[in-house]
Amino acid sequence: RAKENGRSCYAFYQSEMTDLVKRDAELAHLLGSAQIRQQLYVEYQPQYSCRTRALEGGEALLRWRHPEQKIISPQVFIAIAEKRGMIDDIGLWVAQQVCSDASRWFSNQLEFGRISFNLSPVQLRSEEGMKALLQQVGESKVPLSCFEIEITESAYMDASPQTLALLDSYVSEGMGLAIDDFGTGYSSLVALRKLSVSRLKIDQSFVKDMLLDPNEALIVSATVSLGHALGLNVVAEGVETEEQLEKLCSLGCDSAQGYYLNRPMSAECFESLLQQKKQ
Ligand code: C2E
Ligand code: MG
Ligand code: MG
Ligand code: MG
């Protein structure tokens, strides 16, 4: 009996695996196709000051509107793009998009503060890819100080010394560098010592449990202290309630981002928000 069960479980597992592999292959094929450029777009999620609640900037988040499968999460398709060697192209496209949106806002005198975008660990391993991407950002009409790159602690660990030096040269000219999902990766503190980081992003998992679990609140509080001791700005991700925002403010966190404040939105909507702010 047990054996039978075992076998059927195994069979089920196998077919699930095959489905996943098939889906991966299909998505990879579509990602590599010519139409993909029309299906990708960037959304922006605003970031606010905890204390004044003024808009301080936004994070660019990549979206894929698949013709049949609605919207596919970047967590799914970025992993595929990384495995298939397509992430450098896609990442460069994101940077181009961000630069072109930011240039438009900048020439229209819309104050967007700072726009950040995410880099995959795989992008950080390619010196050529990083050169092209940073050059793109550097050649934009917008000052470097209006851009910020988000990398995870683990991405830092994988990067070559050449790439890190390259990144550092842009940071020393004013570009922001944030450690994303801070506290969830490996070797957080080494990254802080070796890189000229400007910002820590407290991972949303800590924010989520902060009001229920005193230990999580302590971690948030310690992260804020660490960040401030190092002269860094600290932003919390995944803020979903007023209570969380107030707690973060009382713990001294500088900025906040989350569904409670705004969901990620199209470039057009973000632009309207900037227009409203101007009035
Ligand atoms: P991330 O950089 O940590 O981005 C934050 C994620 O949290 C986003 O998910 C955002 O939509 C979501 N989020 C924001 N506020 C809330 C909230 O209040 N509650 C909850 N539950 N979630 C919230 P998204 O857009 O699905 O992106 C997932 C991850 O995919 C990102 O995590 C980032 O690692 C990656 N990603 C997104 N765009 C890009 C990109 O252009 N390039 C690369 N390499 N990675 C990207
Ligand atoms: Mg991010
Ligand atoms: Mg994050
Ligand atoms: Mg993340």
Side-chain angles (χ1 to χ4, degrees):
R1 249 235 113 117
K3 209 172 171 186
E4 240 169 62
N5 264 340
R7 203 183 301 139
S8 70
C9 284
Y10 179 68
F12 175 68
Y13 179 66
Q14 271 260 313
S15 78
E16 283 248 294
M17 279 293 280
T18 319
D19 282 353
L20 271 178
V21 169
K22 249 207 273 182
R23 191 173 119 94
D24 253 42
E26 274 165 30
L27 291 181
H29 178 71
L30 289 168
L31 267 176
S33 73
Q35 298 100 293
I36 190 64
R37 288 292 135 94
Q38 281 93 60
Q39 293 168 12
L40 293 180
Y41 62 103
V42 171
E43 286 193 327
Y44 294 90
Q45 186 175 38
Q47 294 168 345
Y48 293 90
S49 153
C50 284
R51 205 172 43 81
T52 67
R53 304 216 177 172
L55 189 138
E56 293 183 331
E59 176 178 8
L61 294 158
L62 184 57
R63 298 290 178 256
W64 180 12
R65 196 186 290 110
H66 184 284
E68 289 128 49
Q69 300 188 42
K70 292 186 277 182
I71 301 208
I72 301 174
S73 161
Q75 242 131 16
V76 172
F77 73 81
I78 282 172
I80 296 173
E82 286 174 346
K83 262 187 283 177
R84 307 273 173 146
M86 297 183 278
I87 193 65
D88 276 358
D89 277 355
I90 292 178
L92 184 59
W93 183 83
V94 170
Q96 279 160 355
Q97 219 49 36
V98 167
C99 287
S100 117
D101 286 336
S103 297
R104 197 174 59 252
W105 300 329
F106 188 75
S107 19
N108 293 335
Q109 273 124 46
L110 294 171
E111 280 170 32
F112 55 85
R114 181 172 261 183
I115 297 294
S116 65
F117 58 98
N118 296 278
L119 285 193
S120 133
V122 177
Q123 284 176 277
L124 274 165
R125 275 187 233 139
S126 149
E127 201 184 340
E128 283 312 301
M130 285 296 293
K131 246 188 208 148
L133 184 142
L134 289 167
Q135 206 171 337
Q136 172 78 35
V137 177
E139 283 169 2
S140 139
K141 285 180 277 174
V142 183
L144 263 184
S145 61
C146 295
F147 294 108
E148 182 179 75
I149 281 179
E150 298 191 8
I151 65 174
T152 58
E153 298 149 271
S154 328
Y156 161 78
M157 293 302 290
D158 280 356
S160 74
Q162 289 87 339
T163 315
L164 291 178
L166 188 64
L167 195 57
D168 233 33
S169 68
Y170 279 79
V171 172
S172 64
E173 287 178 43
M175 189 182 74
L177 180 64
I179 302 289
D180 204 355
D181 306 340
F182 186 77
T184 62
Y186 306 105
S187 180
S188 358
L189 304 177
V190 173
L192 294 182
R193 195 176 40 158
K194 294 259 173 80
L195 271 178
S196 353
V197 172
S198 45
R199 195 132 82 134
L200 299 184
K201 296 195 81 176
I202 299 180
D203 189 64
Q204 54 187 55
S205 59
F206 299 115
V207 175
K208 185 164 169 276
D209 298 328
M210 180 183 63
L211 295 170
L212 314 167
D213 183 346
N215 281 330
E216 302 284 317
L218 281 174
I219 291 175
V220 171
S221 165
T223 305
V224 171
S225 304
L226 173 69
H228 288 173
L230 293 168
L232 312 180
N233 173 283
V234 182
V235 53
E237 295 193 275
V239 179
E240 295 187 348
T241 66
E242 172 65 31
E243 293 72 30
Q244 288 171 340
L245 185 57
E246 279 169 20
K247 178 77 175 173
L248 288 163
C249 191
S250 77
L251 294 177
C253 187
D254 302 294
S255 317
Q257 172 183 350
Y259 292 168
Y260 173 66
L261 295 152
N262 289 119
R263 288 192 174 250
M265 58 181 79
S266 66
E268 290 73 28
C269 290
F270 189 71
E271 190 167 328
S272 322
L273 205 74
L274 298 174
Q275 296 276 9
Q276 283 170 32
K277 188 189 153 196
K278 204 178 169 185
Q279 275 153 22

